[in-house]
Amino acid sequence: MLDYLQHLSYWDWLGLGTLLLILEVFGAGGYLLWVGIAAASVGVLTFIFPGLDWTWQFLLFGLFSVLSAVLWWRRQRDSAKTSDQPGLNQRGSELLGRQFSLHEPIIAGRGKIKAGDTLWLVIGPDLPAGSSVRVIGQEGVLLKVEAIR
């Protein structure tokens, strides 16, 4: 095994890099991408400097793997920005603070309002149908309402 390690060629590193990138395509979630790129980089360096000792090759491989992953993680963290539409894909949050008429009365704490073309289940104080209510909160798919006086 030691004899094999002492005679690593650039083809070994390029093959490892290719294998890791192929495995990444099958759904590793980004973990093998940077290790594969690091292996390919060591392959290129081994091609340029054919006398590079195997211990240096492994040290460079480890360094490149960690360095590329950390740099990508920092780039992702720094480029994350807050949305200009914080309620996007949060059904019901766009209804907070709006006023509606009860479509069905609230009986035993539950009723329905019609918002656009959708009926929403609401919880709140018992009120007759047609009463004006304001949406004050949300619990999953239930909207909390209060009566408007």
Side-chain angles (χ1 to χ4, degrees), residues 124-137:
D126 289 353
L127 295 168
S131 299
S132 293
V133 293
R134 177 181 297 116
V135 179
I136 58 170

Side-chain angles (χ1 to χ4, degrees), residues 105-128:
I106 299 178
I107 301 172
R110 290 186 177 246
K112 292 183 182 178
I113 61 171
K114 187 167 187 165
D117 61 350
T118 306
L119 286 176
W120 286 84
L121 292 173
V122 296
I123 53 176
D126 289 353
L127 295 168

Side-chain angles (χ1 to χ4, degrees), residues 48-68:
I48 296 171
F49 304 108
L52 193 61
D53 190 41
W54 70 274
T55 53
W56 281 105
Q57 292 177 24
F58 277 95
L59 285 173
L60 287 172
F61 174 64
L63 177 71
F64 289 165
S65 296
V66 171
L67 188 64
S68 62

